[in-house]
């Protein structure tokens, strides 16, 4: 009985999902939908044998994958050759015409700026979703793709048994902005553009997180050994009846064109109108519509000869330079930034543009009040392309790079061979002090609970802190001197500071902020040298022996460790109790032998890989989904509610990160 109900609920939820996300024609409210989904989820938990990866409940994600399997594409995934002007398109059409021998019918469509995906269906069920990879092998990212609401998981009976549909996974502008806002609020990191965001999201190991990010898909090619598609446009129309999202013909996202003029008209229309679309495109694609003629024209090794991409120019606008400001980084590096008259470009208001260094100012020959052409390419920060000389104000002065630090007024220095100017006053130049402290407390560094940039600002301004070790010397009374700090927040911050003493050596090494030593380099160094003492004593050539450590990093390390004040600070931090040695503890430990763990959420002291490794190093076993055989659900923050529910249902014990640390006896 409940199995029948499960089937009925699945069918009904798939239908409602299609109505909501593909045909934009829902007939039940969100509340009713959630009620049905909840009922199905309860029934599935009571009937684990009825598990189906294509159930609508799987769209919320929750599964953690260790790594994606590499699979061979059933048909190689080729790319498109590019064209940038009308002559190249005319030549392409002529070539196609000469092979086909007849007047051509061409499909012209948008080129979505996302990530290519191949969806394979067998017996009308999604069995695999694979990224393009190198065109021959791709990654099986099915768990993540199943969370994309407008991708059908089950097809109707009219669809063939074997079907492969390819298309683009992308972020709508709304979903992208949402995601970046959330990311910025949580750790200040933003994706540069929707394409990077889509590609990063598909590679996430936590499908629950993927589900929250609202990816979309649009399909552009169809293949089946069992079905004769006559034309490309017809094939898309057919698959749309089977539930796939395809380009909207009424909105002109795809059109059949018979003449070169038709095509040029289409291209120039979308070149200007593309910003009104709800997603990013980077051009258009022109394809021979007839499948028979496509086959006649054939392929090169890399791309079909019957299709070509046309890339739009990126948008350029003219605006006025108000002034050049100078930012001071934590290393003392000075970066000039152009402050502009606000101007709309590619759907956002631009107020600033980056100018990398003094050479760039000279190269652009920037003058005060110049009108400048700016371009927002694929990246978020626009750049100045050139000055519009015809608009230069008579008598305006060239912009001169500053000689003194805008904050502490020390004379700036530029070393030979270095493009950047530096303020060398690292001891009292406040932006540098704040920059170093902000780096130290950052989530990816020491991750100190209760301390943020505002707190650092205050601590430095009132002179309580100017290097990391000072943070550990503050007592309750000091914290009460800050705005917004009351009993509870003071308690929290003191606990957060105490907890940071458990952070691993590799992260401490990253946190102290050696130039060019990012988190990956810190990891490599800590693994190779094992302790700060061996690292301090390593010669430049010993440093160069480490994988991926080049002369620039080696020099930077040597110069850092030959500075007495840095060495003194390291000694202070060591005395305070920070980790300056790699933990090899419990490497061959057996504390977790016989126990299996499901890992979910984001952890404070471990990356996903680190915590898995730690479980395995201690003899535990990682399993990907919760079942009655699982012993523990090891939970980070943001663990999926469905996971917790499932764990409770199967009597799987919940384990927090701190409990785990205590269990393995790590001093992370
Ligand atoms: S057709 C044989 N149509 O552009 C190639 N591709 O290098 C078939 N793309 O990786 C691709 N929009 O991910 C096609 N309307 C569209 C497209 C499109 C975006 C992407 C695709 C491919 C890249 C071309």
């Amino acid at each position: 009985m409940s199995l029948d109900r499960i089937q009925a609920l699945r069918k009904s939820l798939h239908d409602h999902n299609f109505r909501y996300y593909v045909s934009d024609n829902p007939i039940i409210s969100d509340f009713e939908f959630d009620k049905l989904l909840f009922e199905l989820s309860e029934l599935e938990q009571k009937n684990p044998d009825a598990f189906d990866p294509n159930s609508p409940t799987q769209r919320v994600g929750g599964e953690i994958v260790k790594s994606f399997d590499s699979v061979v594409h059933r048909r190689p995934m080729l790319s498109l050759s590019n064209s940038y002007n009308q002559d190249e398109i005319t030549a392409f059409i002529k070539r196609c015409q000469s092979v086909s021998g007849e007047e051509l019918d061409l499909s012209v469509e948008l080129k979505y700026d996302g990530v290519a995906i191949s969806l394979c269906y067998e017996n009308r069920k999604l069995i695999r979703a694979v990224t393009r990879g190198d065109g021959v092998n791709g990654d099986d990212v099915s768990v993540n793709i199943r969370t994309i609401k407008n991708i059908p998981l089950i097809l109707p009976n009219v669809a063939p048994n074997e079907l492969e549909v390819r298309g683009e996974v992308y972020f709508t502008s709304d979903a992208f902005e949402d995601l970046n806002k959330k990311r910025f609020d949580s750790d200040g990191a933003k994706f540069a553009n929707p394409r990077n965001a889509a590609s990063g999201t598909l590679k996430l190991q936590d499908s629950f997180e993927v589900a929250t990010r609202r990816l979309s898909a649009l399909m552009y090619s169809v293949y089946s050994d069992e079905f004769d598609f006559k034309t490309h446009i017809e094939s898309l129309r057919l698959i749309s009846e089977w539930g796939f999202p395809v380009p909207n013909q009424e909105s002109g996202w795809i059109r059949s064109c018979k003449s070169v003029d038709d095509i040029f008209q289409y291209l120039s229309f979308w070149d200007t109108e593309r910003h009104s679309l709800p997603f990013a495109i980077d051009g258009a694609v022109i394809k021979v519509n007839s499948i028979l003629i496509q086959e006649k024209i054939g392929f090169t090794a890399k791309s079909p000869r019957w299709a070509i991409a046309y890339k739009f120019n990126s948008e350029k606008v003219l605006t006025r330079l108000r002034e050049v400001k100078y930012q001071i980084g934590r290393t003392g590096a000075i970066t000039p930034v152009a402050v502009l008259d606000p101007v709309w470009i590619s759907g956002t208001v631009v107020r600033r543009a980056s100018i990398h260094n003094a050479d760039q100012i000279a190269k652009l020959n920037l003058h005060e009040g110049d009108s400048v052409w700016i371009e927002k390419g694929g990246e978020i920060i626009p750049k100045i392309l050139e000055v519009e000389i015809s608009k230069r104000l008579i008598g305006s002065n060239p912009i001169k790079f500053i000689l003194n630090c805008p904050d502490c007024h020390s004379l700036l220095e530029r070393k030979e061979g270095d493009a950047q100017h530096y303020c060398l006053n690292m001891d009292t130049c406040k932006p540098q002090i704040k920059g170093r402290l902000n780096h130290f407390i950052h989530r990816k560094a020491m991750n100190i609970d209760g301390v943020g940039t505002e707190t650092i600002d205050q601590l430095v301004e009132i002179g309580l802190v100017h290097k990391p070790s000072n943070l550990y010397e503050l007592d309750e009374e000091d914290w009460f001197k800050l705005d917004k700090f009351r009993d509870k927040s003071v308690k929290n911050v003191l606990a957060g500071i105490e907890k940071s003493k458990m952070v691993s050596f590799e992260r401490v090494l990253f946190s102290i902020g050696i130039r060019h030593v990012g988190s990956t380099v810190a990891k490599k160094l800590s693994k190779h040298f094992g302790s700060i003492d061996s690292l301090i004593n390593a010669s430049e050539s010993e440093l160069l022996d480490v994988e991926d450590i080049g002369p620039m990093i080696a020099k930077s390390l040597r110069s850092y460790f030959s500075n007495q004040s840095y060495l003194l600070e390291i000694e202070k931090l060591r005395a305070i109790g920070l980790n300056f040695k790699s933990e090899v503890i419990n490497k061959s430990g057996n504390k977790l032998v016989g126990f299996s763990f499901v890992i979910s959420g984001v952890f404070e002291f471990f990356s996903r890989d680190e915590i898995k490794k730690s479980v395995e190093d201690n003899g535990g076993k990682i399993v990907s989904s919760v079942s009655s055989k699982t012993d523990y659900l090891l939970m980070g923050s943001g663990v999926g509610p469905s996971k917790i529910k499932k764990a409770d249902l199967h009597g799987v014990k919940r384990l927090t990160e701190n409990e785990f640390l205590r269990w393995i006896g790590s001093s992370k």
Side-chain angles (χ1 to χ4, degrees), residues 534-568:
S534 324
L535 184 59
I536 291 173
N537 291 325
S539 67
E540 204 164 315
S541 75
E542 280 166 332
L543 290 166
L544 287 168
D545 282 345
V546 185
E547 190 196 347
D548 289 343
I549 306 295
M552 188 176 72
I553 302 175
K555 268 206 172 61
S556 167
L557 284 159
R558 284 309 321 140
S559 120
Y560 189 93
F561 293 128
S562 50
N563 182 322
Q564 278 309 313
S565 68
Y566 286 142
L567 292 177
L568 218 63

Side-chain angles (χ1 to χ4, degrees), residues 298-326:
F299 300 84
T300 70
K302 286 196 205 129
S303 52
R305 290 185 209 274
W306 45 262
I308 197 163
Y310 173 78
K311 292 280 185 112
F312 293 141
N313 292 322
S314 18
E315 199 183 353
K316 296 182 192 90
V317 292
L318 195 62
T319 186
R320 202 182 59 88
L321 175 71
R322 288 187 173 174
E323 62 173 318
V324 174
K325 281 198 168 165
Y326 296 85

